[in-house]
Structure formats: C-alpha cells, structure tokens
Amino acid sequence: MIARMVVGFHGLSEPRRRWARARYRPFLTEATPDLTITVADGPTPARARIGVPRVRWRHGRFHLAIGACHLRGRFDRAVQLIAPPTLGLNPMVFRPLTSFLLFRDGAFLLHAAAVMTGRGVWLFCGPSGAGKTTIARLAGHRRVLNDDTVAIRPDREGISAWSTPFYGDGGPSMATDNVGARIRAVFFLAKAGGYSHRALRPVDVVARAMPEVFLPLGDPGIAERVLEALAGLAASTPCFELAFAPRPALWDYVDAIV
Amino acid sequence: MPSSEQYPRRRRVPWRVLEGEALVVDPKRGYLYPLNPVGARIWELCDGLHTVHGIVDLLVEEFDADVATIRQDAGEFLDGLAAAGLITAHDAPTPDDTEPGPRGTPRPMR
C-alpha cells in the first residue's frame, strides 16, 4: 500500500515473492487491493536501460512501456505486467509504475525528501545531488518519510505527502514507516555556504516542481492533472527556495521559517 | 507568418496561467515551456479565433508597445510555438528536439 493505494500482484515466483516481501516490507498490507496486476516473465534485453516511461491509450486500454517492461490492460478489467525476471518489481520499474497507477486518484510521485513533525510534512524538492538525503540525515529526532521520493495526494482536506519505499542514497532506513500527513511547507534546494531562503511565486513553484514529478511521456490528461495539483499546492502552501550548508544547524534555520 | 492566419493551440497541450505567466507542457516530448506575460497573452490568444493581425493589435493596446516591435516579436514567438508543435500552423517546420521552441529554453521533464 502506497499513499492509500493498495495493489496486489499475482504470478510472482516464490523467490521473487520473498524478495519483494523483504524489499517492500513496511508497505505490505492485508487490505483488499484496489487493483491486481498479473506478472509474467518477458525477454531479458541485452542492455537493461529504463529510459523515460511512455504511455499510450487506445479504446480505454493503456500500454505503459518502462524500458523492457510493459504494463498493459484496463483499470476496470485485467492488468498485466510483462517484465524480464530480474526487473519485474525492481524499484527502477516499480517507481514509475506506481506513479502511473497513482495518477488514477490524482496522486503522483515527486522527487523530494519529506520530514514529518507535529506540524505537518516539510518537503525538500530537487533533482539528484540537490541535498535531499543530506537534509533527511540531519533530521535528528524528526520522522523521515523518505529521502528521495514521496507520494503527493490531493484530497478534500488538502494536499498530503506520503512515504514510499523508493529511498535514495540514505538506504532502507529512510523508508521504514508507511505514513502521510498534510504538507506544511515546500523547499526547493540549493547548496550554499550558509543559510538563506526566499518565498517563491506560484508560477515558479510549479515550474520547479513539474520536472521532479515521475511523469510518463505521452499522456496529456495526466500532465493536466499534475499541473492542476501543483498549482493547488503552490496556492495553498508556503513554498521557498532554500540555500543551505550541510550542518546540523540547518534544522534550527528551517524550523524558524514556517 | 501571414498576418491574416489563425494559429490555434493544439488541443492536447496542457497549460496554466499563473499570475500572468504561463506554463505550457509538451507531454509527448516531456518539455515544460515557461512563458513571460507577453508570451502568456499570445498563448491565450492562440484560440483559433484571433488572427496574427488581431493578436498584434491587442498586444499593442494591452502592453503599450511599438507596433513594429510587437509584430516582429509576436511573429518570432508564434514561429517558435509552431516549430515546437504546440500550435497548428501551415508549413510549420518539423518539430525537432534541439529547437529552442518559444522564448527561452524548454526544460526537459523527467
């Protein structure tokens, strides 16, 4: 279960099933799946290149291609994942696949670290190397939802961030809880020698966040919904650019901003 | 770009105007185009109803600028939009990933 979405898998061999249970342990649930995916082995390519996922729709059927892996079907009927045996539920494939499935509920995956306190979730967004893991490692007693990828889910109460199993350089210790909460503030990271921040205009927030969404190519409807969700986030949440030095005092600085 | 021609936006191109600026997404190629206020206004006017001539007239009025400059800038901008495949135009060049598209550099998305 990720961000309240429950997906079941059929057809996994016993070794792969054991591996998946160990890899995604905090996210396992006994709840009834919203969607069940049948997994089948596909050919192993000479080069395991994932690339940018692409989706095509035809007469209500979708085909999401993630490198050599193919998710096909209809959400109201059967969905099948055909993937090389070593790649099926590998995070490299499972992450874009999860983002695609979350779009059904208007949710999506964002390249960001998330840290939860009693006041809500602080999001730290940026590409690889921006400092997401560094900030998560400095979080001390605060609860880290993830150091690399979080699920964003707009709902009636507002926009919340949820933990995911797709941790970054911080490793499994950065994805031990399956929890979520309202987003309190969003920071777009810039490394610096000291600390400074500035509020961002909504248009700049959306322009910076959009490239960090795990968005497949080829689906204008999904892009439209993500634009809308990010515009809503930018309008309802304080958003900043944060220049920071990787020192423990960082969190004193962040706590004082919002 | 003939001044009597109309250049409607492609239907399946998501976009948003926020505080007078626009963000246009090319979902096929994964590009995000941030447009400044003038670009955003031109984009809004690419509705299939306004001709280039009509768009220039409105911009001159709204932005209090010199007509020759506006005509040239708007023409170049519309050429960029057409080259990026974001608006429909006759004889538009084939979209190419290396082309800069409308004003500024498109940002590749994940």
Side-chain angles (χ1 to χ4, degrees):
Chain A
M1 178 167 68
I2 298 174
R4 292 192 192 138
M5 175 183 74
V6 180
V7 180
F9 290 92
H10 278 174
L12 290 171
S13 64
E14 191 48 40
R16 287 168 68 194
R17 189 178 153 83
R18 271 202 307 274
W19 177 85
R21 289 189 75 85
R23 171 62 182 80
Y24 299 109
R25 185 171 304 282
F27 296 84
L28 300 179
T29 177
E30 296 300 320
T32 307
D34 308 317
L35 177 75
T36 298
I37 297 174
T38 304
V39 183
D41 286 346
T44 302
R47 284 191 311 162
R49 191 172 170 276
I50 296 298
V52 182
R54 283 184 179 273
V55 65
R56 283 188 188 157
W57 289 87
R58 199 170 176 185
H59 307 307
R61 283 179 61 81
F62 63 82
H63 173 197
L64 175 70
I66 310 169
C69 305
H70 302 273
L71 186 76
R72 288 193 177 93
R74 290 177 65 117
F75 286 126
D76 57 348
R77 295 184 197 168
V79 176
Q80 186 181 38
L81 173 65
I82 300 173
T86 52
L87 278 182
L89 292 183
N90 184 297
M92 280 194 302
V93 173
F94 194 34
R95 180 164 62 176
L97 186 152
T98 299
S99 198
F100 175 70
L101 298 178
L102 283 168
F103 289 127
R104 288 183 310 152
D105 296 339
F108 54 88
L109 295 184
L110 181 72
H111 211 193
V115 176
M116 191 159 86
T117 71
R119 295 196 288 155
V121 173
W122 270 238
L123 277 189
F124 300 91
C125 188
S128 297
K132 297 186 296 296
T133 297
T134 302
I135 282 190
R137 280 184 173 140
L138 291 171
H141 64 279
R142 299 165 188 85
R143 198 172 189 179
V144 175
L145 300 191
N146 200 285
D147 68 331
D148 187 81
T149 305
V150 290
I152 306 298
R153 177 182 273 282
D155 51 35
R156 257 178 274 167
E157 295 91 51
I159 302 174
S160 53
W162 290 77
S163 45
T164 75
F166 309 115
Y167 49 76
D169 292 341
S173 66
M174 295 290 173
T176 54
D177 290 333
N178 191 356
V179 289
R182 283 284 302 276
I183 299 171
R184 171 79 177 148
V186 183
F187 298 93
F188 292 87
L189 301 176
K191 286 180 177 168
Y195 304 109
S196 66
H197 71 283
R198 67 183 177 94
L200 292 174
R201 300 177 309 152
V203 64
D204 294 323
V205 171
V206 179
R208 287 177 185 225
M210 193 79 186
E212 304 306 327
V213 175
F214 289 85
L215 196 65
L217 297 180
D219 193 325
I222 287 177
E224 176 70 41
R225 289 203 297 279
V226 171
L227 257 185
E228 189 180 332
L230 291 177
L233 179 67
S236 63
T237 312
C239 298
F240 305 93
E241 179 183 79
L242 174 68
F244 73 100
R247 293 194 290 265
L250 163 73
W251 274 96
D252 294 334
Y253 187 84
V254 169
D255 283 339
I257 295 175
V258 186
Chain B
M1 187 152 280
S3 63
S4 59
E5 200 71 87
Q6 294 161 337
Y7 294 89
R9 295 182 293 271
R10 288 201 186 275
R11 273 187 308 133
R12 308 226 62 195
V13 174
W15 57 283
R16 273 281 181 291
V17 173
L18 296 165
E19 298 171 320
E21 297 183 30
L23 296 168
V24 179
V25 178
D26 178 350
K28 235 177 180 175
R29 296 191 292 164
Y31 285 158
L32 177 71
Y33 297 96
L35 306 183
N36 67 18
V38 180
R41 186 67 181 126
I42 294 174
W43 177 258
E44 284 182 312
L45 293 169
C46 289
D47 53 6
L49 302 173
H50 290 85
T51 61
V52 175
H53 186 79
I55 290 173
V56 169
D57 281 352
L58 277 169
L59 292 176
V60 168
E61 218 172 89
E62 293 175 15
F63 292 91
D64 193 23
D66 166 58
V67 67
T69 308
I70 287 274
R71 185 177 295 127
Q72 177 162 352
D73 286 355
E76 286 173 9
F77 182 73
L78 287 166
D79 282 341
L81 292 175
L86 300 173
I87 58 174
T88 307
H90 300 296
D91 305 316
T94 309
D96 184 294
D97 285 354
T98 59
E99 289 207 69
R103 192 153 306 185
T105 311
R107 303 179 190 179
M109 299 196 297
R110 186 170 306 284

